[in-house]
Amino acid sequence: MLGPPGAGKGTQARKLAEEFHIPQISTGDIFRKAVQDNTPMGKKAKEYMDSGMLVPDDIVIGIVEERLDQPDVNAGFVLDGFPRTLYQAERLEQILQKKARGIDAVINIRVRRDAIIERFTGRRVCKSCGASYHVKYNPPRRPGLCDACGNELVIRPDDELETVKKRLEEYEQKTAPLIEFYQSRRLLIDIDGDKTIDEVHKSIVDMLRGEEK
Ligand code: AP5
């Protein structure tokens, strides 16, 4: 899943994972869990996340490589928030080649800038399982509590306006070039993200099913 911060990558990745019965691999979620558990990697990642910067490539790539060694990815997987730099994209190709696997599609979610800011301000995430909600567009059934695990919903520390600005800057500089990279490999599927969550999901599934034919 490709797209600027707040575009809805996590929301859509989760729905795709359910639809196709495959795991969602979110580097952001992996880092947030490590921060919560106060692991050495979590402490390192926190420094970058809190300031809206990308975590260094070598840390991220090591984590993804390890995750892709797990048996549950055999039937496929959705990568959410990775790769985020050209170097990560190149390394991902090498990792997958070694496993005789490849990427089927890169979903690029496009969203208007003003809609992104609104998505950030209304976002609430589960402290425990990482599920993402929106107070207006995707409210939980019980206010303040996660539908999936019942735990408390909180505002993500990096959703503060100044940090969001830095994250958007990082995206433009380091991640947006991946659009051209995957276009040149004929893997890019552009999706209009300015629709409801269910409409966006349907467009993605329709496109993916079309690719399968
Ligand atoms: P990460 O967690 O990946 O954050 P991000 O890419 O900035 O993306 P977000 O999680 O903010 O947004 P999203 O697109 O998933 O949107 P969501 O579905 O939640 O990364 C966090 C940090 O970790 C990074 O800054 C970096 O430091 C580090 N990191 C992670 N991966 C890395 C990597 N590969 N390399 C280096 N560093 C890395 O939706 C947002 C809100 O909008 C929600 O409230 C949702 O309910 C709502 N919403 C979603 N879709 C819609 C819709 N269609 N209509 C209305 N509302 C919607």
Side-chain angles (χ1 to χ4, degrees):
M1 308 292 302
L2 201 57
K9 301 181 297 295
T11 304
Q12 296 300 331
R14 200 167 262 254
K15 288 175 86 67
L16 282 183
E18 275 168 24
E19 174 99 24
F20 292 99
H21 308 288
I22 53 177
Q24 167 197 9
I25 301 177
S26 156
T27 40
D29 283 352
I30 294 173
F31 286 135
R32 277 184 287 279
K33 173 87 176 64
V35 170
Q36 201 176 27
D37 294 347
N38 210 17
T39 67
M41 188 266 280
K43 282 184 194 153
K44 187 90 206 138
K46 189 175 181 333
E47 288 171 30
Y48 294 92
M49 294 170 84
D50 283 353
S51 56
M53 313 242 316
L54 291 183
V55 175
D57 284 340
D58 52 338
I59 301 181
V60 189
I61 291 161
I63 286 167
V64 172
E65 199 162 11
E66 228 172 75
R67 182 64 185 85
L68 291 178
D69 277 337
Q70 303 298 313
D72 67 334
V73 304
N74 288 343
F77 50 88
V78 189
L79 280 175
D80 161 19
F82 180 91
R84 276 248 245 297
T85 61
L86 282 171
Y87 182 68
Q88 290 180 18
E90 283 159 2
R91 285 302 313 276
L92 176 64
E93 283 186 342
Q94 291 164 3
I95 293 167
L96 293 176
Q97 254 164 27
K98 268 201 273 172
K99 295 175 183 296
R101 305 191 67 165
I103 298 170
D104 294 317
V106 176
I107 315 284
N108 181 37
I109 305 184
R110 294 188 182 268
V111 183
R112 289 189 336 269
R113 186 56 74 103
D114 54 334
I116 286 187
I117 301 296
E118 199 191 358
R119 287 182 190 187
F120 275 122
T121 41
R123 172 159 59 185
R124 300 292 180 270
V125 294
C126 176
K127 248 171 115 170
S128 173
C129 74
S132 176
Y133 298 86
H134 192 281
V135 288
K136 183 167 159 196
Y137 300 117
N138 183 24
R141 283 192 292 269
R142 290 176 298 162
L145 296 176
C146 178
D147 292 347
C149 69
N151 278 298
E152 189 194 347
L153 300 181
V154 294
I155 296 177
R156 244 169 69 171
D158 59 347
D159 277 355
E160 193 254 324
L161 192 60
E162 280 314 303
T163 318
V164 165
K165 281 188 191 155
K166 183 67 203 164
R167 286 165 61 198
L168 288 167
E169 240 177 75
E170 286 277 272
Y171 167 80
E172 289 301 338
Q173 279 172 19
K174 299 177 182 164
T175 310
L178 290 183
I179 294 175
E180 218 178 294
F181 177 87
Y182 284 119
Q183 241 160 9
S184 73
R185 280 157 170 72
R186 298 181 180 281
L187 288 171
L188 199 82
I189 297 179
D190 261 321
I191 293 289
D192 175 6
D194 284 317
K195 294 182 182 162
T196 67
I197 292 173
D198 286 340
E199 284 167 348
V200 175
H201 174 64
K202 186 173 179 314
S203 316
I204 297 175
V205 172
D206 286 350
M207 291 295 275
L208 288 175
R209 301 246 190 249
E211 295 281 305
E212 271 175 5
K213 282 175 200 158

